[in-house]
Structures are given as structure tokens and as C-alpha cells.
Amino acid sequence: MTTSSNKTVTAVAHTNIALIKYWGKQDSELIIPYTSSLSLTLDQFYTQTSVQFNANLSEDRITIDDHVVTGTGSKRVHDFLELVRQESGLNLSAEVNSTNHVPTAAGLASSASAFAALAAAASKAAGMNLSLTDLSRLARRGSGSACRSIFGGFVEWQKGFDDASSFAVPIETRHLNDIRIVALTVEKHQKPVSSRKGMAFSVKTSPYYPTWIKVVDADLANIKAAIKDNDFTRFGTISELNAMRMHALTLSADPDFLYFTGDTLVAMNEVKRLRHSGIECYYTIDAGPNIKIICQQANVKVITDTFSTLFGPTKVTVAKPGPGVKYL
């Protein structure tokens, strides 16, 4: 086994917003999903993480947002580092320093950027030098959606059937390049039901879950065709509908649970009002209360003005398609 390393590697990964949702695992240990999914990487929300494997450490030392994390709070990071050690042959504890420029556990996919950055920094610090495909596979083991944050722009996570075949691939296109996401941070507190628990409840107890698997296959094929055809209306309609179909699983679980707040519903209705008045926009919502409005550059100002008046300008952020993982 390799027993020494002095490299500190820093990586930056951006969060992504799922447009065709990932909701449910058929293998919870390897994080193999029941369905493929499609996302857009965003430029405004990201995680920066530095990793050094250090012979002077007796255990992993993990700092997130300037706070040392210990006990159960550090378990996911420690388990991921164990995976890196197993695959690299390195036998050293690691020092991890991570800063999230994403509200944590509020439905803005903070775990996606966090584990994508950790996978990139830790693997390179351990001397692995992975391809982007293998890096996507590794990131998936920390958080499923992290496999998509390895790449920029539109990204498809191909569900696969085992560890080797489940990874993300970029969707190369020049179409819909004026797409914008207006993110509304109506709530910054942690959600009451984690994505992992919510998925498990939905898979186990919603009578509609088998239908969801079929629906996602159709939605994914249709949205990829909309991207290829440069059809924003079809693209937005499919995205909004798929999000609501996902949240129908939480409402039909036993016990039922809901990620929306009153402000979420206000924002959803306002998007519909804008659309009916001729301002084309659509919403999508992940596992949390915060809403993401899908629009084109020409309508950004009226949308941001509207929601700044409703919720305050500090809660409104405009994002563009963002880049894949980078090393600093």
C-alpha cells in the first residue's frame, strides 16, 4: 500500500438542477437508480473542497463551512474517503476543507456539488487521475446526483445496472443556450425529510411508484427530443410536469410528506399567472421548498422583478448553464 502523500488538491464543482428527476434507488449501497435522469449544471451554486492525505493524522479531519464536523455528521464523508482509500491503495487519513456556496438540505442539490468536488479532490490527492466517466461513477457513490455535477450544461445520468454502468454523460448541444434558471430561496433551513429517506418512503409505500418508472422513461425521451429540436415550450412543459409527478409520490407515500411551504405554493401560482399573461416560464422543484423557474434570457427581468417584489431581492438568483468540475 502507498503510505505517503503530501499533495493538497482543491476542486470546485457546481450544483445541478434535475429536470427529469432521480427519485428512488434499486441499490442503496451502490446508489443505482430505478430510472435515468437529466439535469442542467448551474453557474451560481458551487462547492470548493481541498483534500490532503496526511501521515501525521490519526483520523480524518473534516471541516465544512469553517466548522469541524465529527461523529455522525462526518460519517458520509468518512465513508466516501474509505472508498477512495480502497480504490487507490492509499492508507492515510485525510484533511478535508469544504465550503458550500449552496443552501444546505433545502432542495438546491448541495450534496451534488459537495460530493462531486470531494470526489475530484480526494481521488486526485490519492493519485488516481480518473477519467471523467470514472470520476462520475465515484461521485455517484457519495450522492447520486453528484455524478451529474462532474459535467457542465445538460447532463444525463444513465441508470445502468451495476457500479460500472451507472454514470453521467454530457448532452452535447448548441440549442437552448439562452436558458436561464431563476432560483428562489424561500427557505434556507434543512428540510424535515432528507432526500434519502424520502426516496425510500416513496419506493416502499407509494402505489404509484411502478408507474413513475414508466413515466420517467417517456419524459426523458421527450425532453431530449425537445432539446434537439430547440423547442423551449416543450422543454419547459415536460420539466414542470415531471417535477409534479415526483412530488405526487411524496403525497401518496405512507406516511405522506410534503416538501412545499406556503411560499412554494405562492411562487408556483405566480409562475402560472406569468405564463398565462404571455411571459413564458415554468417551474421545477427538487426535494425541498425552493423553486427554480425555467425561462429564457428575454424574460429574466420581468420574472426577477416580480419575485423580488414578492419575496425580496436577496432571495432571487439568476443562474446560467454552468461548467463541469475544475481543479484550482
Side-chain angles (χ1 to χ4, degrees), residues 34-91:
Y34 275 105
T35 68
S36 298
S37 57
L38 184 140
S39 65
L40 179 65
T41 303
L42 304 178
D43 67 339
Q44 289 296 310
F45 306 107
Y46 64 95
T47 302
Q48 180 172 315
T49 298
S50 298
V51 177
Q52 181 188 53
F53 289 95
N54 191 331
N56 295 320
L57 292 176
S58 59
E59 60 182 12
D60 294 328
R61 185 163 63 196
I62 301 161
T63 304
I64 300 176
D65 295 333
D66 296 323
H67 296 286
V68 176
V69 182
T70 58
T72 56
S74 66
K75 186 178 187 305
R76 282 181 72 184
V77 176
H78 172 75
D79 289 349
F80 189 82
L81 292 169
E82 279 293 292
L83 177 63
V84 172
R85 282 187 280 262
Q86 291 169 16
E87 296 201 2
S88 68
L90 194 66
N91 190 25

XYZ file of all heavy atoms in Angstrom, residues 34-91:
461
model
N -33.522 3.636 -10.043
C -34.530 2.919 -10.822
C -34.686 3.513 -12.221
O -35.111 2.820 -13.143
C -35.885 2.962 -10.114
C -36.059 1.889 -9.078
C -35.975 2.188 -7.723
C -36.322 0.568 -9.440
C -36.142 1.200 -6.757
C -36.494 -0.416 -8.484
C -36.399 -0.100 -7.150
O -36.565 -1.080 -6.194
N -34.372 4.801 -12.363
C -34.566 5.479 -13.647
C -33.338 6.316 -13.987
O -32.577 6.722 -13.107
C -35.784 6.423 -13.602
O -35.493 7.522 -12.720
C -37.035 5.705 -13.133
N -33.170 6.579 -15.253
C -32.195 7.585 -15.673
C -32.766 8.964 -15.368
O -33.946 9.104 -15.030
C -31.895 7.435 -17.170
O -31.313 6.168 -17.445
N -31.947 10.000 -15.488
C -32.402 11.367 -15.187
C -31.628 12.354 -16.041
O -30.621 12.000 -16.669
C -32.222 11.683 -13.697
O -30.865 11.502 -13.304
N -32.095 13.595 -16.049
C -31.444 14.637 -16.852
C -31.405 15.932 -16.061
O -32.388 16.278 -15.392
C -32.185 14.830 -18.179
C -31.555 15.816 -19.167
C -31.668 15.276 -20.602
C -32.212 17.192 -19.088
N -30.288 16.628 -16.125
C -30.117 17.841 -15.313
C -29.437 18.947 -16.113
O -28.935 18.735 -17.222
C -29.268 17.523 -14.075
O -27.959 17.151 -14.463
N -29.410 20.121 -15.494
C -28.667 21.265 -16.015
C -27.750 21.762 -14.903
O -28.217 22.098 -13.807
C -29.621 22.386 -16.445
C -28.959 23.669 -16.993
C -28.230 23.390 -18.296
C -30.003 24.770 -17.187
N -26.454 21.782 -15.157
C -25.497 22.309 -14.188
C -25.593 23.836 -14.172
O -25.706 24.475 -15.222
C -24.069 21.867 -14.552
O -24.033 20.436 -14.602
C -23.058 22.348 -13.520
N -25.559 24.433 -12.971
C -25.772 25.870 -12.800
C -24.481 26.584 -12.391
O -23.662 26.028 -11.653
C -26.856 26.118 -11.746
C -28.197 25.448 -11.991
C -29.155 25.751 -10.845
C -28.796 25.895 -13.324
N -24.346 27.817 -12.824
C -23.095 28.541 -12.561
C -23.055 29.230 -11.201
O -21.975 29.560 -10.713
C -22.833 29.575 -13.663
C -23.851 30.717 -13.684
O -24.967 30.544 -13.144
O -23.539 31.782 -14.260
N -24.189 29.444 -10.540
C -24.221 30.294 -9.352
C -24.046 29.557 -8.030
O -23.775 30.176 -7.009
C -25.536 31.075 -9.311
C -25.629 32.167 -10.356
C -24.590 33.252 -10.155
O -24.422 33.788 -9.068
N -23.861 33.563 -11.216
N -24.234 28.236 -8.021
C -24.182 27.481 -6.777
C -23.083 26.432 -6.882
O -23.101 25.622 -7.803
C -25.536 26.808 -6.503
C -26.696 27.764 -6.513
C -27.600 27.776 -7.561
C -26.868 28.655 -5.468
C -28.661 28.663 -7.575
C -27.932 29.542 -5.465
C -28.833 29.553 -6.521
N -22.148 26.439 -5.930
C -20.996 25.543 -6.074
C -20.379 25.214 -4.717
O -20.666 25.850 -3.695
C -19.944 26.165 -6.989
C -19.327 27.436 -6.458
C -18.131 27.408 -5.745
C -19.934 28.672 -6.669
C -17.559 28.577 -5.240
C -19.379 29.837 -6.181
C -18.187 29.786 -5.475
O -17.635 30.944 -4.969
N -19.521 24.201 -4.728
C -18.762 23.789 -3.549
C -17.291 23.760 -3.901
O -16.910 23.275 -4.975
C -19.197 22.386 -3.072
O -20.591 22.400 -2.775
C -18.414 21.976 -1.832
N -16.455 24.296 -3.009
C -15.000 24.246 -3.174
C -14.417 23.385 -2.056
O -14.683 23.630 -0.874
C -14.391 25.643 -3.120
C -12.869 25.653 -3.277
C -12.315 27.065 -3.414
O -12.864 27.887 -4.156
N -11.237 27.350 -2.713
N -13.666 22.381 -2.422
C -13.164 21.411 -1.448
C -11.682 21.136 -1.668
O -11.244 20.918 -2.806
C -13.941 20.086 -1.562
O -15.313 20.332 -1.268
C -13.403 19.043 -0.579
N -10.916 21.146 -0.573
C -9.493 20.795 -0.594
C -9.286 19.520 0.212
O -9.871 19.355 1.291
C -8.639 21.922 0.008
O -8.770 23.107 -0.743
N -8.438 18.630 -0.298
C -8.146 17.364 0.373
C -6.643 17.130 0.387
O -5.967 17.304 -0.635
C -8.844 16.183 -0.327
C -8.460 14.850 0.352
C -10.360 16.348 -0.315
N -6.155 16.740 1.557
C -4.766 16.277 1.673
C -4.749 15.004 2.516
O -5.324 14.962 3.610
C -3.871 17.329 2.335
C -2.412 16.874 2.431
C -1.563 17.828 3.262
O -1.902 18.144 4.398
N -0.468 18.293 2.683
N -4.091 13.959 2.003
C -3.850 12.754 2.797
C -2.537 12.955 3.548
O -1.507 13.253 2.944
C -3.793 11.520 1.899
C -5.138 11.153 1.333
C -5.525 11.605 0.074
C -6.024 10.386 2.063
C -6.762 11.276 -0.445
C -7.277 10.050 1.557
C -7.642 10.496 0.303
N -2.599 12.812 4.878
C -1.505 13.279 5.730
C -1.107 12.182 6.713
O -1.922 11.722 7.524
C -1.957 14.538 6.480
C -0.823 15.248 7.179
O 0.161 14.631 7.589
N -0.964 16.560 7.320
N 0.160 11.782 6.669
C 0.660 10.729 7.557
C 0.657 11.149 9.017
O 0.741 10.305 9.921
C 2.067 10.327 7.130
N 0.550 12.442 9.294
C 0.557 12.923 10.670
C -0.818 12.883 11.324
O -0.944 13.175 12.515
C 1.098 14.357 10.720
C 2.551 14.431 10.291
O 3.349 13.559 10.640
N 2.887 15.465 9.516
N -1.833 12.535 10.569
C -3.192 12.463 11.113
C -3.512 11.042 11.556
O -3.200 10.083 10.845
C -4.215 12.903 10.059
C -4.221 14.381 9.640
C -5.232 14.593 8.519
C -4.545 15.281 10.810
N -4.180 10.927 12.696
C -4.594 9.609 13.184
C -6.013 9.264 12.736
O -6.432 8.108 12.827
C -4.520 9.558 14.713
O -5.356 10.549 15.286
N -6.754 10.259 12.262
C -8.109 10.038 11.756
C -8.453 11.170 10.801
O -7.762 12.208 10.768
C -9.130 9.993 12.897
C -9.195 11.254 13.715
C -10.172 11.163 14.867
O -10.635 10.049 15.185
O -10.492 12.222 15.460
N -9.495 10.975 10.009
C -9.918 12.021 9.082
C -10.340 13.269 9.844
O -11.011 13.183 10.872
C -11.091 11.533 8.231
C -10.706 10.402 7.292
O -9.552 10.375 6.844
O -11.579 9.546 7.018
N -9.949 14.423 9.331
C -10.335 15.700 9.923
C -11.124 16.477 8.867
O -10.593 16.813 7.811
C -9.107 16.488 10.375
C -9.454 17.787 11.121
C -8.252 18.304 11.887
N -7.143 18.655 11.007
C -5.892 18.831 11.429
N -5.597 18.674 12.713
N -4.941 19.152 10.578
N -12.374 16.748 9.183
C -13.304 17.287 8.190
C -13.834 18.628 8.658
O -14.421 18.736 9.740
C -14.462 16.296 7.955
C -13.915 14.948 7.463
C -15.470 16.866 6.962
C -14.883 13.810 7.632
N -13.631 19.644 7.850
C -14.129 20.992 8.138
C -15.052 21.416 7.001
O -14.653 21.407 5.833
C -12.977 21.995 8.274
O -12.072 21.547 9.289
C -13.496 23.377 8.633
N -16.280 21.761 7.347
C -17.258 22.210 6.359
C -17.769 23.579 6.770
O -18.251 23.750 7.887
C -18.427 21.215 6.238
C -17.914 19.830 5.803
C -19.470 21.731 5.242
C -18.994 18.767 5.743
N -17.631 24.531 5.880
C -18.064 25.910 6.147
C -17.482 26.424 7.469
O -18.197 26.990 8.315
C -19.590 26.005 6.164
C -20.201 25.699 4.799
O -19.521 25.926 3.785
O -21.346 25.220 4.742
N -16.183 26.181 7.657
C -15.416 26.666 8.811
C -15.795 26.005 10.128
O -15.403 26.476 11.199
C -15.540 28.193 8.960
C -14.943 28.938 7.775
O -13.908 28.478 7.255
O -15.516 29.961 7.375
N -16.543 24.910 10.084
C -16.892 24.176 11.300
C -16.339 22.761 11.212
O -16.561 22.062 10.218
C -18.415 24.118 11.497
C -19.046 25.462 11.712
N -18.920 26.163 12.890
C -19.801 26.232 10.884
C -19.577 27.312 12.787
N -20.122 27.372 11.578
N -15.627 22.334 12.250
C -15.141 20.958 12.295
C -16.324 20.030 12.524
O -17.124 20.233 13.443
C -14.093 20.781 13.414
C -13.667 19.315 13.508
C -12.888 21.668 13.154
N -16.453 19.020 11.673
C -17.580 18.099 11.731
C -17.093 16.770 12.286
O -16.089 16.224 11.834
C -18.193 17.890 10.330
C -19.404 16.958 10.404
C -18.591 19.229 9.727
N -17.797 16.256 13.290
C -17.398 14.998 13.924
C -18.608 14.070 14.052
O -19.746 14.462 13.775
C -16.813 15.238 15.330
O -17.800 15.912 16.135
C -15.557 16.102 15.263
N -18.358 12.848 14.511
C -19.442 11.912 14.802
C -20.268 11.577 13.586
O -19.768 11.447 12.464
N -21.588 11.459 13.808
C -22.476 11.047 12.726
C -22.507 12.069 11.592
O -22.741 11.706 10.439
C -23.908 10.850 13.261
O -24.341 12.053 13.902
C -23.960 9.700 14.254
N -22.247 13.329 11.898
C -22.255 14.364 10.872
C -21.172 14.184 9.830
O -21.294 14.673 8.704
N -20.102 13.475 10.195
C -18.992 13.290 9.268
C -18.997 11.917 8.609
O -18.116 11.614 7.805
C -17.661 13.484 9.999
O -17.475 12.468 10.965
N -19.980 11.078 8.946
C -19.943 9.678 8.507
C -19.951 9.535 6.993
O -19.191 8.732 6.433
C -21.113 8.900 9.105
C -21.035 7.403 8.809
C -22.176 6.634 9.435
C -21.987 5.127 9.270
N -21.813 4.728 7.865
N -20.801 10.293 6.297
C -20.860 10.154 4.836
C -19.538 10.530 4.189
O -19.092 9.874 3.237
C -21.991 11.015 4.253
C -23.365 10.410 4.413
C -24.438 11.295 3.793
N -24.409 11.281 2.345
C -25.196 12.031 1.583
N -26.069 12.870 2.139
N -25.132 11.966 0.263
N -18.897 11.578 4.702
C -17.609 11.987 4.145
C -16.541 10.942 4.463
O -15.748 10.549 3.601
C -17.186 13.366 4.681
C -15.793 13.742 4.164
C -18.206 14.429 4.267
N -16.528 10.465 5.711
C -15.558 9.449 6.103
C -15.742 8.174 5.274
O -14.756 7.589 4.787
C -15.701 9.123 7.584
C -14.875 7.958 8.030
N -13.500 8.047 8.211
C -15.211 6.657 8.295
C -13.039 6.857 8.579
N -14.055 6.006 8.639
N -16.984 7.743 5.088
C -17.246 6.538 4.297
C -16.775 6.712 2.858
O -16.249 5.778 2.239
C -18.739 6.197 4.314
C -19.207 5.672 5.660
O -18.349 5.379 6.519
O -20.441 5.582 5.858
N -16.961 7.908 2.331
C -16.514 8.165 0.958
C -14.987 8.135 0.876
O -14.423 7.584 -0.080
C -17.054 9.517 0.479
C -16.811 9.748 -0.988
C -17.670 9.210 -1.933
C -15.727 10.490 -1.412
C -17.437 9.407 -3.294
C -15.490 10.696 -2.773
C -16.351 10.156 -3.709
N -14.327 8.718 1.860
C -12.866 8.678 1.886
C -12.361 7.239 1.999
O -11.325 6.890 1.422
C -12.335 9.527 3.035
C -12.554 11.035 2.892
C -12.222 11.742 4.208
C -11.723 11.612 1.755
N -13.084 6.402 2.737
C -12.725 4.981 2.822
C -12.781 4.338 1.440
O -11.920 3.518 1.090
C -13.673 4.258 3.776
C -13.328 4.431 5.243
C -12.008 3.755 5.589
O -11.932 2.514 5.550
O -11.032 4.489 5.874
N -13.779 4.685 0.666
C -13.890 4.159 -0.692
C -12.698 4.598 -1.542
O -12.128 3.788 -2.295
C -15.198 4.636 -1.319
C -15.461 4.239 -2.769
C -15.571 2.718 -2.897
C -16.736 4.905 -3.278
N -12.317 5.874 -1.418
C -11.158 6.372 -2.166
C -9.892 5.630 -1.752
O -9.059 5.240 -2.590
C -10.991 7.889 -1.959
C -9.673 8.396 -2.562
C -12.178 8.640 -2.567
N -9.746 5.394 -0.450
C -8.573 4.663 0.022
C -8.550 3.234 -0.525
O -7.502 2.729 -0.937
C -8.540 4.666 1.554
C -8.048 5.978 2.152
C -7.870 5.899 3.665
N -9.138 6.045 4.366
C -9.577 7.194 4.896
N -8.845 8.297 4.809
N -10.719 7.252 5.534
N -9.702 2.590 -0.541
C -9.774 1.231 -1.067
C -9.396 1.176 -2.541
O -8.654 0.288 -2.970
C -11.191 0.674 -0.879
C -11.586 0.393 0.554
C -13.072 0.107 0.696
O -13.758 -0.170 -0.289
N -13.576 0.191 1.923
N -9.887 2.134 -3.310
C -9.659 2.099 -4.751
C -8.262 2.585 -5.139
O -7.744 2.196 -6.182
C -10.732 2.912 -5.473
C -12.130 2.326 -5.309
C -13.099 2.784 -6.369
O -12.698 3.536 -7.278
O -14.275 2.368 -6.297
N -7.668 3.425 -4.305
C -6.340 3.965 -4.627
C -5.199 3.172 -4.004
O -4.056 3.268 -4.449
C -6.248 5.418 -4.158
O -6.268 5.490 -2.736
N -5.496 2.413 -2.948
C -4.437 1.714 -2.230
C -3.712 2.591 -1.228
O -2.718 2.170 -0.628
N -4.216 3.802 -1.017
C -3.597 4.724 -0.059
C -4.100 4.397 1.346
O -5.278 4.119 1.540
C -3.965 6.160 -0.432
C -3.175 7.294 0.222
C -1.725 7.276 -0.234
C -3.816 8.633 -0.130
N -3.211 4.458 2.313
C -3.585 4.082 3.678
C -3.303 5.226 4.649
O -2.573 5.074 5.627
C -2.815 2.830 4.100
C -3.347 2.250 5.405
O -4.501 2.467 5.750
N -2.503 1.529 6.122
